[in-house]
Amino acid sequence: MTSLDANIVIWLNGLSGNVKIFDDLMRLAASDYLMPLVFSLGMLGLWFSGKTPAERVKYQLTMLMGISALSIANVVVWLFNIWLERPRPFVEHGDELNLLFYPPTDPSFPANPVAVGFAAATAACTINRKFGWWLYAAATLFGFSRLYAGVFYPTDIVGGAIVGIAIYGFTTYLRRFLEPLITSFVRLMRGLSAA
């Protein structure tokens, strides 16, 4: 599987350098700023969405679970990185890759930005399917751009997506045990006019 992983990233990254505008778009999509901003603004927009007060509370509770999933996904990826230190593609195949991004120093598997993106998209999809699919597309583009840039393997992207989706499922399960606290927090935010 590792050789297939390497072959895919080398082939895909080998397409870079041919069309400057596409390379620039991939650099923009792979940046540490654009997609996290898209996910954050998307979740903020959903926090204030809802046509009725009951629907709005439902959106806010779901976005709170999404924020929790983002935090827990970061911890899970960190634990994976301690347990499994997989080098980045540019470390193992640097002479065959055209690195389009700064060289991250943390391990490669699973892809943390993809885990965060898929956790946000899954949260959004549970309350607004159409918008959620747009966030899934953004998370997929985020992963693809990092693959194209030579900083992740395909299995890193798939692993990150699985972690993000699974952790959101875990937070919704955990919500049952923390329910009075979560609802009280949303009421507090509404009382402070922040919801």
Side-chain angles (χ1 to χ4, degrees), residues 40-111:
S40 300
L41 291 177
M43 292 181 77
L44 182 66
L46 287 174
W47 176 268
F48 290 106
S49 295
K51 296 175 183 163
T52 65
E55 188 177 68
R56 199 164 176 186
V57 168
K58 179 183 171 188
Y59 275 44
Q60 290 163 353
L61 288 170
T62 304
M63 286 304 97
L64 195 56
M65 291 300 93
I67 292 166
S68 301
L70 299 178
S71 304
I72 295 170
N74 279 311
V75 172
V76 168
V77 168
W78 176 71
L79 291 172
F80 260 106
N81 290 167
I82 290 172
W83 175 64
L84 178 70
E85 283 197 38
R86 182 179 190 186
R88 300 268 183 168
F90 61 83
V91 172
E92 292 187 319
H93 308 282
D95 54 334
E96 301 171 77
L97 294 174
N98 175 26
L99 189 62
L100 298 177
F101 194 67
Y102 72 87
T105 56
D106 58 330
S108 185
F109 182 84

